[in-house]
Amino acid sequence: IIRADLKLLTNYSYDPVEPFDIPIISIRGTEDDRVSLSQITGWQKVTIDRHKTIERKGGHRYIEHDAEFLTSLINKTIKEKELIVKNQ
């Protein structure tokens, strides 16, 4: 994992694209010293739909211990989108 992460960090170059027409939810650990809040909120630039930022207790790999929250968030988001599509 670390080797792949380092390769990505070394070789990655952002290539701007047209904004997506989908909602984006950005999540970070409040104690993450690798990803700043401004980096997370930057995702709002790549969508014309809504963007939501969520901070959860923990560091860079907080998500390993937050599966229940993440699963609930995904299910809730899918249900909301289904209601929007159904009502159109």
Side-chain angles (χ1 to χ4, degrees), residues 10-68:
T10 303
N11 297 325
Y12 179 75
S13 174
Y14 176 68
D15 187 18
V17 295
E18 290 292 318
F20 298 107
D21 189 11
I22 58 170
I24 295 178
I25 301 173
S26 305
I27 310 171
R28 74 176 285 270
T30 55
E31 299 155 28
D32 189 341
D33 58 355
R34 297 181 192 173
V35 180
S36 69
L37 181 57
S38 64
Q39 287 174 303
I40 292 296
T41 57
W43 280 96
Q44 65 191 351
K45 297 176 186 173
V46 297
T47 183
I48 58 174
D49 204 320
R50 67 189 186 278
H51 174 261
K52 182 177 185 178
T53 298
I54 298 173
E55 289 191 290
R56 299 288 291 173
K57 183 178 179 187
H60 187 67
R61 297 178 70 163
Y62 79 91
I63 204 166
E64 293 175 354
H65 309 287
D66 209 13
E68 186 176 330

